[in-house]
């Protein structure tokens, strides 16, 4: 590991040299997947408006227009989210610039750099739930390495799966991959950040599934995980009252309606009270303005989206996510190699879990976790991670499409 960090200066020199010797080929932009890019832009716009609504405050004066109301509402959080979105665009085009094969060749360095950050963050100050998962900088600004680590683990695992000559058929084949995967997972659980750990598990499960792993082996892993739930429950009952409380609130939110169950209850009321078209921005008596959902601009943003835009707006947002995920699946099938295929599947697995878990917890179908809604929830680390992930997807799609066109032109010329 130390040898890898000694190579970091040489790595930066190699990056600069690569950029000079390999200028971006504009022909790749012919393969740029505009449907995915525009869908992401629409979700970001949804998110900024929802955050603006979530951070609104009640206004006592009589105001008849939305334009006048906007003069009284705080815009700092929504504006900062817009800045993060612009930063995310930079991350997206950075990921597009390099051939994704470069990330594969650097996968070992990326993996160990991620391990170092996850290990180092354990020594930072712990916050709510005795959790240490952020580096603090500036005036209250934070950076969460486990978020960026999602991209690192996708690249690393995708390279490992792509290098295999045949699917995983035995436990012996699975053990090296499990060790490789478990090291960052254990460091995340040590924070402890169960929500992010579940995202890592979802990524690994998605890659295992599409790699053609023996289904009996997959079934055995599921059974082992289910059996592990029993001792885990007793461990949480003895040592982790914060997360145990979240599970109990999921099972019965009314047991503590003014405390731990308040978010779960009020988010469902906000969704149910919105009607077909919603209450609109800055509506009198809205849960957003009255701050009845404390985490409404982050983890519970979907409740505010439903309250603001109603059932129609919520279905449009869900439709955008569905289109994004299906489009990724299509692009994965068209990738020029298995590494590109696994990269897209890894990103898709990550976002699918985020969307299902976030919306599920708002509707009371799944336990409450700190899982944000991609492109919609407020947060810089999450925005940068998701935009970098979309950059990888576009990278694979662009180069695969151009290479396919070249191959077809060569065949036509040969005929």
């Amino acid at each position: 590991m130390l040898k890898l960090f000694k190579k970091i200066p040489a790595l930066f020199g190699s990056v600069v040299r690569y950029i000079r010797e390999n200028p971006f080929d504009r022909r790749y932009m012919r393969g740029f997947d505009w449907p995915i890019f525009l869908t992401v832009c629409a979700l970001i716009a949804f998110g900024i408006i929802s955050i603006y609504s979530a951070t609104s405050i009640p206004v006592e004066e009589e105001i008849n227009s939305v334009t006048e109301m906007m003069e009284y509402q705080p815009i700092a959080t929504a504006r900062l989210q817009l800045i993060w979105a612009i930063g995310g665009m930079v991350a997206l085009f950075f990921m597009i610039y390099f051939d994704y094969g470069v990330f594969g060749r650097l996968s070992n360095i990326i993996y160990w750099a991620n391990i170092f950050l996850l290990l180092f963050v354990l020594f930072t100050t712990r916050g709510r739930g005795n959790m240490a998962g952020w580096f603090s900088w500036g005036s209250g600004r934070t950076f969460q390495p486990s978020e960026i680590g999602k991209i690192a683990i996708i690249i690393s695992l995708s390279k490992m799966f792509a290098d295999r000559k045949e699917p995983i058929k035995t436990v012996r084949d699975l053990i090296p991959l499990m060790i490789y995967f478990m090291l960052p997972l254990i460091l995340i659980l040590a924070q402890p950040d169960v929500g992010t750990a579940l995202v890592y598990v979802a990524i690994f499960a998605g890659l295992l599934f599409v790699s053609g792993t023996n289904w009996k082996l997959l079934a055995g892993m599921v059974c082992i995980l289910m059996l592990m739930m029993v001792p885990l429950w007793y461990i949480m009952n003895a040592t982790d009252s914060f997360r145990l409380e979240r599970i109990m609130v999921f099972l019965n939110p009314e047991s503590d309606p003014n405390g731990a169950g308040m978010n779960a209850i009020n988010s469902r009321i906000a969704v149910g009270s919105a009607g077909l078209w919603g209450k609109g921005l800055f509506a009198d008596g809205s849960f957003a303005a009255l701050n009845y959902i404390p985490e409404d601009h982050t983890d519970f943003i979907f409740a505010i989206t439903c309250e603001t835009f109603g059932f129609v707006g919520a279905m449009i947002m869900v439709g955008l996510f569905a289109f994004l995920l299906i489009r990724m699946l299509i692009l994965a099938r068209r990738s020029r190699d298995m590494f590109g295929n696994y990269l897209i599947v890894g990103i898709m697995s990550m976002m699918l879990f985020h969307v299902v878990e976030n919306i599920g917890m708002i509707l009371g179908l799944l336990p409450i976790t700190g899982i944000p809604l991609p492109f919609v929830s407020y947060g810089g680390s999450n925005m940068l991670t998701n935009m970098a992930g979309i950059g990888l997807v576009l990278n694979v799609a662009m180069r695969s499409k151009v290479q396919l066109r070249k191959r077809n032109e060569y065949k036509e010329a040969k005929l």
Side-chain angles (χ1 to χ4, degrees):
M1 185 173 176
L2 291 174
K3 292 181 179 179
L4 288 173
F5 284 105
K6 289 179 180 179
K7 294 180 180 179
I8 289 178
L11 173 63
F12 282 112
S14 299
V15 170
V16 173
R17 189 163 54 254
Y18 178 90
I19 294 174
R20 288 177 179 174
E21 297 175 357
N22 300 274
F24 185 78
D25 191 342
R26 293 183 180 179
R27 288 179 298 176
Y28 288 132
M29 291 305 294
R30 298 174 188 172
F32 190 83
D33 197 82
W34 287 102
I36 277 190
F37 181 77
L38 294 176
T39 301
V40 168
C41 289
L43 288 169
I44 291 173
F46 247 122
I48 291 172
I49 296 172
S50 298
I51 290 169
Y52 193 18
S53 178
T55 54
S56 63
I57 57 175
V59 177
E60 298 179 358
E61 299 181 25
E62 188 68 27
I63 297 176
N64 299 319
S65 69
V66 175
T67 305
E68 293 180 6
M69 177 67 78
M70 290 175 67
E71 297 178 2
Y72 291 89
Q73 297 298 339
I75 196 173
T77 307
R79 181 175 56 204
L80 191 55
Q81 181 73 351
L82 176 60
I83 293 172
W84 284 123
I86 294 171
M89 288 293 177
V90 175
L92 183 149
F93 286 104
F94 175 83
M95 300 301 284
I96 285 176
Y97 185 90
F98 302 94
D99 189 306
Y100 63 90
V102 173
F103 297 110
R105 291 192 290 273
L106 296 175
S107 61
N108 201 32
I109 294 176
I110 292 172
Y111 175 83
W112 286 108
N114 180 40
I115 294 297
F116 174 77
L117 288 175
L118 292 176
L119 184 63
F120 189 58
V121 80
L122 294 177
F123 300 97
T124 59
T125 304
R126 294 182 177 266
R128 187 184 178 192
N130 195 34
M131 182 174 167
W134 292 269
F135 293 118
S136 299
W137 56 279
S139 55
R141 302 283 177 247
T142 58
F143 165 70
Q144 190 174 6
S146 60
E147 280 291 330
I148 305 299
K150 295 172 186 175
I151 302 298
I153 200 66
I154 288 170
I155 293 172
S156 305
L157 287 175
S158 296
K159 181 61 176 174
M160 287 201 73
F161 277 103
D163 286 345
R164 292 190 58 83
K165 296 180 180 179
E166 58 182 19
I168 298 170
K169 298 179 180 179
T170 65
V171 175
R172 180 178 295 179
D173 294 334
L174 183 62
I175 287 176
L177 275 169
M178 286 296 297
I179 294 173
Y180 195 77
F181 167 68
M182 288 300 294
L183 183 53
L185 184 69
I186 291 171
L187 291 175
I188 291 170
L189 288 172
Q191 292 181 5
D193 187 352
V194 177
T196 302
L198 290 174
V199 178
Y200 277 54
V201 171
I203 292 168
F204 187 54
L207 292 173
L208 276 176
F209 181 77
V210 300
S211 67
T213 301
N214 189 311
W215 67 269
K216 293 181 181 179
L217 199 58
L218 291 176
M221 292 178 65
V222 172
C223 291
I224 291 172
L225 286 173
M226 292 180 68
L227 291 173
M228 288 176 61
M229 292 297 104
V230 177
L232 182 62
W233 174 265
Y234 285 102
I235 292 171
M236 289 180 63
N237 194 28
T239 63
D240 198 346
S241 59
F242 175 75
R243 282 154 191 86
L244 181 65
E245 184 181 71
R246 285 190 165 185
I247 296 175
M248 298 307 296
V249 164
F250 163 66
L251 297 173
N252 183 20
E254 287 74 17
S255 62
D256 189 10
N258 297 318
M262 183 173 66
N263 274 357
I265 295 171
N266 289 350
S267 62
R268 275 185 274 176
I269 294 174
V271 172
S273 65
L276 187 62
W277 299 104
K279 299 176 182 178
L281 282 171
F282 319 127
D284 290 336
S286 67
F287 279 69
L290 296 174
N291 199 29
Y292 281 169
I293 307 174
E295 305 294 334
D296 55 1
H297 67 298
T298 53
D299 300 343
F300 288 83
I301 192 65
F302 184 71
I304 303 303
T305 301
C306 293
E307 185 181 43
T308 303
F309 299 104
F311 178 79
V312 173
M315 287 301 98
I316 291 173
M317 178 179 285
V318 171
L320 289 171
F321 277 120
F323 175 80
L324 182 66
L325 294 168
I326 293 171
R327 185 65 182 170
M328 285 186 194
L329 185 61
I330 293 171
L331 294 177
R333 292 172 62 89
R334 296 176 181 173
S335 63
R336 70 184 184 187
D337 56 20
M338 290 309 298
F339 179 55
N341 179 285
Y342 288 132
L343 281 176
I344 297 180
V345 169
I347 300 297
M348 185 182 69
S349 300
M350 175 185 75
M351 292 192 178
L352 176 62
F353 183 83
H354 270 263
V355 172
V356 171
E357 168 58 29
N358 185 275
I359 295 178
M361 76 177 187
I362 298 298
L363 300 180
L365 302 176
L366 293 170
I368 294 175
T369 59
I371 300 293
L373 193 59
F375 312 110
V376 181
S377 293
Y378 173 80
S381 299
N382 182 251
M383 178 65 78
L384 293 175
T385 298
N386 288 310
M387 293 299 281
I390 292 297
L392 272 178
V393 172
L394 294 174
N395 190 332
V396 176
M398 289 163 55
R399 285 169 170 81
S400 298
K401 190 171 183 179
V402 170
Q403 184 168 337
L404 179 62
R405 184 183 293 116
K406 289 180 179 179
R407 191 181 304 154
N408 292 337
E409 289 174 356
Y410 174 77
K411 288 180 179 180
E412 291 176 2
K414 194 173 181 180
L415 293 173

